[in-house]
Amino acid sequence: MNKTINIIAGASTDSQGNAAHLIQHYINSALCEKNNILFITTHSSDSSLPGTIFRFNSGLTQLLWLGIRYQLGWLHLHLDLNFSFMRTKLIVTLAKQLGAQIILHLHNDAFADFYDAQSPKKQRKISRLFNQADKIIAASRQIARRIEVITGKQDNIQVLFNSVPHFNTPKPTPPVKPQSILFLNPITEYKTEYTAVFDLLVAFAQLLPEHPQATLKIGEMTKNEETEKLKVQINKLGVEKSITLLGKLTEEQKNYELAQADIFCLPVYKESSSTNLLKAMSAGKAIITTPVGYIPEIIFPDKNGLLFTSGDIASLHKCLSNLITDDKNKQALCKAAQRDFAEKLSESVMFKQLQTIYDSLGKHRE
């Protein structure tokens, strides 16, 4: 009898996005050794078309070779937002022919928008693809409910929140800067995220006359034109002395900025399970954000953060002022966010839940 192996497949670990980051964490954990897991790269978010074709063909060839050499247990396939239906279909079909059980894992809360934008014919194909899976993992209850409607099933859908490791506090630890506000979120994926950043600029400009010592740092921009547009608006509002544009940051730089921030503010119109929000919770930061996507499933108003409606600049201004003026409430929110992360959202918790899913597939096969 050939040795049984299991496979994780998805974006290369040097890609951008939640799925790639989580796969990297899987590889670095004890999960791989415990479950005899091998990793196959199926695509990269940074590849050209020839590079994309080459990576996919290499991954498919590797899957076939492993299926011939070993007995396959399950294939855990991570899907990005705009996943290629045809490539995913080919991987799933080959894996099932090789005897593997299928886990489809959706990380992005914008999946509903992606699905709705497809033609009825394409939607039916996606539904049939999902119905081939032995287990579907959804990164939020919102995604899970939508997949239930699409597939007509409930018993094989599992909610597993995206996660990050516990916050790695920089050494030496920088002191927290009072009244300092930090925004970290890529704003290239959706045009609406530009609007969210501009909302924050206006709210901050309104805040400064009341709290002239307040500062705002904005990070994660990746294109020069984004920076230039923000600079124009910042100068127009006359707040350039109080705002710093950080640009693209390394993980170490993110940790340093989080460590010294007083408030983490993430106004968004569409959310895709931002790892930066989870980092802020783990770091014990006072959080202001909007109830979109998966966010209201982990941030609860006046318990572990503050929520305001997307586009409501007056409410955003009120939230910022509240945290600056009420230190007791701010500290309570910080402690609650950090506690909730440790108990429900930490990487160790996620790994335990994922192991339970893996074990259930093994027992089902037996």
Side-chain angles (χ1 to χ4, degrees):
M1 174 69 74
N2 291 343
K3 176 183 177 182
T4 299
I5 64 164
N6 300 297
I7 296 172
I8 288 178
S12 63
T13 55
D14 59 355
S15 298
Q16 300 298 314
N18 296 319
H21 291 156
L22 281 172
I23 289 172
Q24 181 65 65
H25 296 159
Y26 293 166
I27 293 173
N28 293 336
S29 74
L31 277 175
C32 285
E33 182 177 355
K34 182 175 181 179
N35 295 281
N36 294 324
I37 295 174
L38 296 178
F39 172 60
I40 293 177
T41 297
T42 58
H43 63 284
S44 171
S45 62
D46 308 318
S47 290
S48 61
L49 179 59
T52 297
I53 295 173
F54 175 78
R55 279 183 183 268
F56 175 72
N57 288 340
S58 296
L60 208 62
T61 301
Q62 189 177 2
L63 174 61
L64 177 60
W65 180 80
L66 290 173
I68 294 172
R69 182 176 180 183
Y70 301 103
Q71 178 178 332
L72 300 186
W74 41 255
L75 171 74
H76 184 174
L77 183 59
H78 295 259
L79 304 180
D80 291 329
L81 175 59
N82 293 315
F83 68 91
S84 166
F85 170 80
M86 184 58 67
R87 292 199 300 267
T88 302
K89 174 69 174 177
L90 287 172
I91 294 170
V92 169
T93 299
L94 177 58
K96 289 185 77 70
Q97 289 177 346
L98 294 170
Q101 294 177 288
I102 304 298
I103 307 170
L104 295 181
H105 195 156
L106 286 93
H107 297 273
N108 197 303
D109 273 315
F111 169 74
D113 291 337
F114 165 76
Y115 179 82
D116 290 341
Q118 308 306 309
S119 66
K121 182 178 179 181
K122 183 69 172 292
Q123 290 178 349
R124 288 192 294 271
K125 288 182 178 180
I126 293 174
S127 176
R128 288 195 292 270
L129 173 66
F130 284 167
N131 275 305
Q132 288 185 275
D134 297 278
K135 182 72 71 173
I136 299 174
I137 300 177
S140 71
R141 297 183 186 94
Q142 175 182 269
I143 300 177
R145 288 191 294 268
R146 191 56 185 274
I147 296 174
E148 287 175 11
V149 174
I150 292 171
T151 63
K153 296 180 180 179
Q154 293 182 344
D155 57 347
N156 69 332
I157 302 172
Q158 176 82 37
V159 175
L160 185 66
F161 289 112
N162 290 336
S163 189
V164 295
H166 281 279
F167 182 67
N168 185 16
T169 305
K171 302 296 182 184
T173 305
V176 174
K177 296 182 179 180
Q179 302 184 33
S180 61
I181 304 160
L182 177 64
F183 171 94
L184 288 178
N185 199 46
I187 58 175
T188 57
E189 187 174 2
Y190 303 113
K191 291 181 180 180
T192 50
E193 300 318 321
Y194 262 128
T195 306
V197 176
F198 283 108
D199 289 347
L200 177 56
L201 291 180
V202 175
F204 181 74
Q206 295 173 354
L207 183 76
L208 274 180
E210 309 159 15
H211 305 284
Q213 301 304 313
T215 59
L216 171 63
K217 289 185 176 183
I218 298 174
E220 290 292 81
M221 294 168 296
T222 57
K223 294 183 178 179
N224 291 332
E225 55 264 33
E226 296 168 354
T227 303
E228 292 307 313
K229 289 178 183 178
L230 286 178
K231 285 180 179 178
V232 170
Q233 181 67 3
I234 289 168
N235 291 332
K236 183 178 179 180
L237 292 169
V239 293
E240 60 274 9
K241 293 182 179 180
S242 301
I243 295 181
T244 303
L245 300 181
L246 300 172
K248 188 67 176 176
L249 303 174
T250 65
E251 289 303 309
E252 291 76 15
Q253 290 170 329
K254 283 184 188 180
N255 289 343
Y256 186 84
E257 295 297 338
L258 272 172
Q260 62 180 343
D262 194 24
I263 298 167
F264 181 80
C265 188
L266 186 68
V268 290
Y269 283 73
K270 292 183 178 181
E271 185 45 51
S272 57
S273 304
S274 170
T275 57
N276 292 322
L277 177 60
L278 297 174
K279 286 177 180 288
M281 293 181 71
S282 181
K285 296 300 168 179
I287 293 170
I288 300 173
T289 187
T290 43
V292 297
Y294 83 116
I295 290 176
E297 298 179 26
I298 64 172
I299 298 295
F300 306 102
D302 299 315
K303 293 184 179 180
N304 63 359
L306 299 181
L307 296 177
F308 71 97
T309 303
S310 302
D312 189 343
I313 296 174
S315 293
L316 172 54
H317 168 257
K318 183 178 179 180
C319 289
L320 291 168
S321 181
N322 176 297
L323 292 183
I324 288 176
T325 57
D326 190 345
D327 188 67
K328 183 178 180 180
N329 180 48
K330 180 179 66 178
Q331 294 304 321
L333 294 175
C334 290
K335 292 179 181 178
Q338 194 168 43
R339 180 194 65 236
D340 287 349
F341 174 85
E343 294 178 355
K344 305 172 185 178
L345 300 165
S346 67
E347 196 173 69
S348 58
V349 171
M350 184 267 288
F351 283 160
K352 289 180 182 178
Q353 294 173 342
L354 187 56
Q355 186 61 58
T356 300
I357 294 173
Y358 290 163
D359 290 343
S360 70
L361 287 175
K363 291 177 181 177
H364 176 72
R365 184 181 290 275
E366 293 171 2

